[in-house]
Amino acid sequence: MSDHVYQKIELTGSSSEGMQQAIENAVSKAGLTVKNMRWFEVVETRGHIENGKVAHWQVTIKVGYTLAD
């Protein structure tokens, strides 16, 4: 196993479907330009309420990716 150096970025994904979809939206969009993503951690979750119901989710994550050699 080789040693790695990681860099972290913070992303906020959103979805009207739920927390998991908000995370997947953030990772998917970042994956278009950020290579070698390896892990994420959830740092904040919030939502928007309309008419007494959850209408929208926002999930902030930190994503670690390996730096290229």
Side-chain angles (χ1 to χ4, degrees):
M1 182 172 161
S2 61
D3 295 330
H4 295 286
V5 173
Y6 296 93
Q7 186 164 6
K8 291 195 294 187
I9 56 173
E10 189 170 278
L11 307 168
T12 301
S14 62
S15 173
S16 58
E17 296 176 27
M19 290 174 32
Q20 181 169 338
Q21 190 60 48
I23 293 167
E24 290 180 14
N25 290 345
V27 170
S28 176
K29 184 70 171 184
L32 297 175
T33 56
V34 179
K35 304 304 176 206
N36 303 317
M37 291 188 293
R38 301 291 184 223
W39 52 266
F40 74 90
E41 61 181 295
V42 174
V43 295
E44 184 174 38
T45 305
R46 3 175 227 288
H48 177 72
I49 300 170
E50 287 183 8
N51 301 319
K53 295 183 180 180
V54 175
H56 206 83
W57 292 90
Q58 289 184 332
V59 180
T60 300
I61 60 175
K62 289 185 180 179
V63 175
Y65 61 94
T66 55
L67 296 176
D69 290 333

